[in-house]
Amino acid sequence: MSQRYTCTWLRHITEKAAGKGRCYHGLSITRSVQDNLFCAVNPRFIALVTECTGGGAFIVISVHQTGRVSPLHARVCGHSARVLDVKWDPFNDRRIASCSEDCTVKVWDIPQNGLKDDVTQPSKDLLGHSRRVAIIEWHPTARDLLLSSAYDYKVFVWRLDGAAAVIQMPVCVINTHTQLVLSLTFNHDGSLLATTCKDQKIRIIEPRTSRVLQESSSTSHKAYKILFLWNLNMLLTTGNSSWNQRQFALWDLEDLSEPILEEDFDEGSGVVFPFYDPDTQLLFLAGKGDGNIRYYEVSAIKPYMHFLAEYRSQFPQRGLGVMPKRGLNFNICEVFRFYRLVGVRDLVEPLSFCVPRKQSGVFHEDIYPLTAANEPALTAHEWLMGQNKGPMLMSLRPKSKEVQKRIIQPPDAGPQNPEREVIVNARDWTKDDTESHDWISAGTLSDVDWTEATFCLPPEPETEASQRQEKEIQNQQEKVEQKEHRIQQLELRITRHHTRASF
């Protein structure tokens, strides 16, 4: 019997753009034509490439610093030419990398409380490319490894755990491309690298040896951006068809001779960026210069891609940032959050995608399974020696306020108290972390030292008065959000009416 696709709760997802008071205003967003996102987000900071004279710069602000940003706000301005992209270290919320037209990659340490003065001195200066550097990417599971690609057609892997402030020799050089690399992506454990190139070929490369494992030969799809759908054993690319229609394509990782699915979606001209959440199998397609974001559910069963809905805005996005899963708001069942760079209004607009459920403070396990943590699974040396490990996993369930330490027995001896929930490998987060979570290794529970563990006691039951008050607050918040959504719809109608009247 053949398998059939079954609709899930994903079809009920709704999008909510932040109101004016929760946006970031007065930001001079870069006007670079480079096909990059120009924005990087983590649970503490937003980094944004800005316009500046006499060099390149980007700004770092707190995610809580909504409203108007001062034009005199401190910046990171150590590059001698335009900054082309920025990326946060996935294992350190205060370390960020930037690449530039000055042929360098720089790594910066952001102060604990954000920028108070301009920063001009990087912690690491990576010198090796002979032409402008367009792409940077951190390794997904190993600490202190950064990848860069430039207009000299070379891809470098840099090791950052040494004491030297200036590094001129990368640890790996991938010199297999004969034309410009358009995009690249790691798989989930960093053992494979997929690239798209101006010669219209897709390559899967072993990054430590630069050996090409597979190469596409299809001419019907011109790929620009690429993404691993590793839990489905697929690759996804966005680009153009032979008739210059914008389209996406799905590829079997075992055979790149022809895509298993090609689908046109419009005739736009901007590059389409794909974003994938492996926990929910949600795929977002957002075009640079577009005002809309399409989202799909991806499955391993034909027809593979299932269109869910489309967010529309009258203001196009010049770039996008994405909040990591650990920074989402679980109280409103938020499953994805973009930060849209709206150049015509000089603002950054948060855009949340939520599942409409009763928001009674209940943690929904089906929406938030174990996800990748901000803890490395490997050191740089271990990865370079040939080891591969999947990401460390963490639970997004917030910790209970009451926590006790107890001595317990291994799991085969049975729990001492079945009424308490055992959290394995509990980590004590610092006060400056934005959220308090538990994380566990991707391995089995038999690998855990069971001499000591953490019990999280269930919260005490709330009184009826507090429950009524909380429900009333939630109802008021929902009404405000509905009114904001209605205002946006009316503004869009007015704009369309004026447009038609002008014709």
Side-chain angles (χ1 to χ4, degrees), residues 258-293:
E258 290 292 336
I260 59 177
L261 174 68
E262 284 182 332
E263 185 173 318
D264 299 347
F265 49 84
D266 66 18
E267 299 178 353
S269 58
V271 173
V272 177
F273 291 85
F275 303 89
Y276 180 62
D277 177 17
D279 300 332
T280 58
Q281 296 183 189
L282 267 174
L283 174 72
F284 296 85
L285 300 180
K288 191 173 181 180
D290 295 353
N292 61 333
I293 298 176

Side-chain angles (χ1 to χ4, degrees), residues 412-461:
D412 55 352
Q416 288 186 339
N417 192 338
E419 296 180 356
R420 293 180 171 87
E421 177 185 5
V422 179
I423 303 298
V424 183
N425 258 5
R427 177 180 185 265
D428 294 327
W429 293 72
T430 57
K431 292 182 179 180
D432 48 284
D433 280 312
T434 57
E435 294 288 340
S436 180
H437 303 293
D438 305 315
W439 63 273
I440 65 173
S441 170
T444 62
L445 297 183
S446 60
D447 299 326
V448 178
D449 182 8
W450 285 88
T451 58
E452 185 174 319
T454 301
F455 286 98
C456 293
L457 299 178
E460 296 181 0

Side-chain angles (χ1 to χ4, degrees), residues 116-128:
K116 303 300 180 185
D117 300 298
D118 288 349
V119 177
T120 59
Q121 189 62 38
S123 59
K124 300 287 183 183
D125 207 347
L126 313 181
L127 311 176

Side-chain angles (χ1 to χ4, degrees), residues 23 30 60 65 72-73 84 97 116 124 148 179 207 211 254 274 291 305 404 407 463 495:
C23 295
T30 180
V60 176
Q65 188 182 337
L72 302 178
H73 193 285
L84 297 182
K116 303 300 180 185
K124 300 287 183 183
S148 64
Q179 294 188 43
R211 184 164 60 98
E254 306 300 327
M305 300 282 287
Q404 294 182 352
I407 304 299
T463 63
T495 303

